[in-house]
Amino acid sequence: MRRPFALLAAALLAGALTAPAASAADGNDAFTIEDPRITESSGLAASRLHPGVYWTHNDSDDGPYLYAVDSATGETVARITLTGVGTPRDVEAVAVGPGNRIFVGDIGDNLGGTWPYVWIYELPEPKELRDRTVRATQYVVKYSDGARDAESLLVHPKTGRVYVIDKKEEGGHLYEGPARLSASGSNVFRPVAPIELWATDAAFSPDGRQLAVRGYFGGIHYAWNGGKPQREGRLSVPLQGQGESVSFSADGSRLLYGSEGTRSRVESREAPGGGGEKGAASSGGGAEDREDTAGDGSGVGAGALVAVAAVCAALFGLGRLRRRG
């Protein structure tokens, strides 16, 4: 009878310890980017076609590449080479829009806003994840009030409209692009709302009702309010060496924060109001001004520990019954 008893114990313990793996597959947990080619991860966007996968890219001096990273392992599962575009100058952001279209923002200007135009690239998200070449559409972008540096690119998940937030230490503005970008001529972006942050990235929630903006030392979340953002509270942004990116998880329940550097860590925090379709009714200040480490990906989750304790208690009780018999 000892062998079946031991097998039962092993099965119960294994089930308890492996239970949290389901959330990792959904892309809600923290992870480390393992690819040595990714040394300046500057943008982050959750895939809509491939659960648990995040798109990222290097800041500069890398080439026209996008990397698909599996958050369950931190490993790159595909590198996409963009064709049909020029040589990238300062790629700072990536976003996924309606119809599984990826938008890449070559919008940085480290020369203090001296380039007369910047670029946005658009391509279809590959249905199969493998190293491949994909033709992209290149858009020329200008600002109605002159050149500027920017690191935040957003695409509204319902309308497909593209937005940029410029990067200013004293706070910048949300710039709205045309209803549809044109590959011929210039696309003029115009300021529509102030953003009270030195912004390094921003993201829409999957339902389009929330806007999260991050900087090096903090973040703010806004109600989208039909394109007239209303500030709702502060975000619990983790302390990172050079915090460059933010993305909602695919289900909208978490915010993932990325940083530059080799083997950089992507941290996970609770999204305000849940962030997705299910959380829209309760959107508000649930996550601001508090530290949330439930999704840091380290160690065994509290649920698993409780399950292990229950298993041990059950086995102890069975052992006592056997001895009494």
Side-chain angles (χ1 to χ4, degrees):
M1 292 295 292
R2 288 185 179 180
R3 182 173 296 175
F5 185 75
L7 289 174
L8 173 62
L12 290 172
L13 287 170
L17 291 173
T18 58
S23 62
D26 291 338
N28 290 346
D29 291 345
F31 61 96
T32 298
I33 297 176
E34 301 289 352
D35 192 332
R37 297 171 297 182
I38 304 173
T39 58
E40 294 184 297
S41 175
S42 294
L44 197 68
S47 169
R48 300 297 187 264
L49 286 179
H50 309 286
V53 168
Y54 285 84
W55 293 101
T56 190
H57 54 82
N58 282 312
D59 187 340
S60 56
D61 300 325
D62 183 35
Y65 304 121
L66 281 177
Y67 300 84
V69 178
D70 184 350
S71 64
T73 64
E75 300 289 348
T76 296
V77 291
R79 185 174 83 158
I80 306 302
T81 302
L82 279 61
T83 62
V85 302
T87 302
R89 290 188 298 205
D90 192 354
V91 180
E92 291 288 355
V94 60
V96 178
N100 303 314
R101 306 288 296 183
I102 299 176
F103 292 78
V104 181
D106 191 354
I107 56 176
D109 188 345
N110 292 327
L111 300 178
T114 59
W115 288 326
Y117 58 85
V118 292
W119 297 306
I120 292 174
Y121 314 127
E122 180 187 357
L123 65 150
E125 183 172 9
K127 295 181 180 179
E128 180 184 350
L129 290 178
R130 58 178 174 82
D131 291 357
R132 62 196 303 170
T133 298
V134 177
R135 186 168 185 82
T137 301
Q138 178 171 297
Y139 303 110
V140 175
V141 170
K142 294 183 177 182
Y143 301 99
S144 62
D145 51 358
R148 58 203 53 252
D149 186 23
E151 296 189 2
S152 308
L153 174 77
L154 308 100
V155 183
H156 196 275
K158 303 300 183 183
T159 67
R161 197 157 197 158
V162 181
Y163 298 84
V164 170
I165 299 174
D166 63 342
K167 182 182 180 183
K168 288 189 174 182
E169 190 170 356
E170 67 275 15
H173 281 81
L174 176 76
Y175 283 78
E176 181 183 73
R180 291 290 179 268
L181 297 180
S182 172
S184 60
S186 299
N187 296 273
V188 178
F189 280 58
R190 306 180 187 281
V192 293
I195 297 295
E196 306 147 302
L197 196 70
W198 191 14
T200 60
D201 201 14
F204 280 116
S205 60
D207 62 9
R209 299 187 183 186
Q210 295 285 322
L211 169 63
V213 186
R214 77 157 299 173
Y216 293 121
F217 308 111
I220 301 173
H221 68 92
Y222 298 83
W224 180 237
N225 190 36
K228 299 178 181 178
Q230 292 182 334
R231 177 171 174 157
E232 293 198 327
R234 297 198 63 84
L235 294 170
S236 176
V237 176
L239 182 63
Q240 295 174 306
Q242 188 170 345
E244 289 281 338
S245 59
V246 65
S247 173
F248 278 87
S249 59
D251 67 2
S253 67
R254 310 290 293 182
L255 280 169
L256 281 294
Y257 296 94
S259 174
E260 289 192 1
T262 302
R263 296 194 77 247
S264 60
R265 185 75 172 164
V266 177
E267 300 289 355
S268 174
R269 298 290 186 267
E270 181 184 357
E277 301 286 355
K278 293 181 180 179
S282 59
S283 63
E288 65 266 20
D289 297 324
R290 77 168 184 265
E291 191 74 6
D292 176 10
T293 57
D296 66 0
S298 61
V300 178
L305 291 176
V306 171
V308 170
V311 169
C312 292
L315 295 180
F316 178 74
L318 286 172
R320 287 177 62 90
L321 289 174
R322 281 169 52 84
R323 287 196 296 274
R324 289 178 181 178

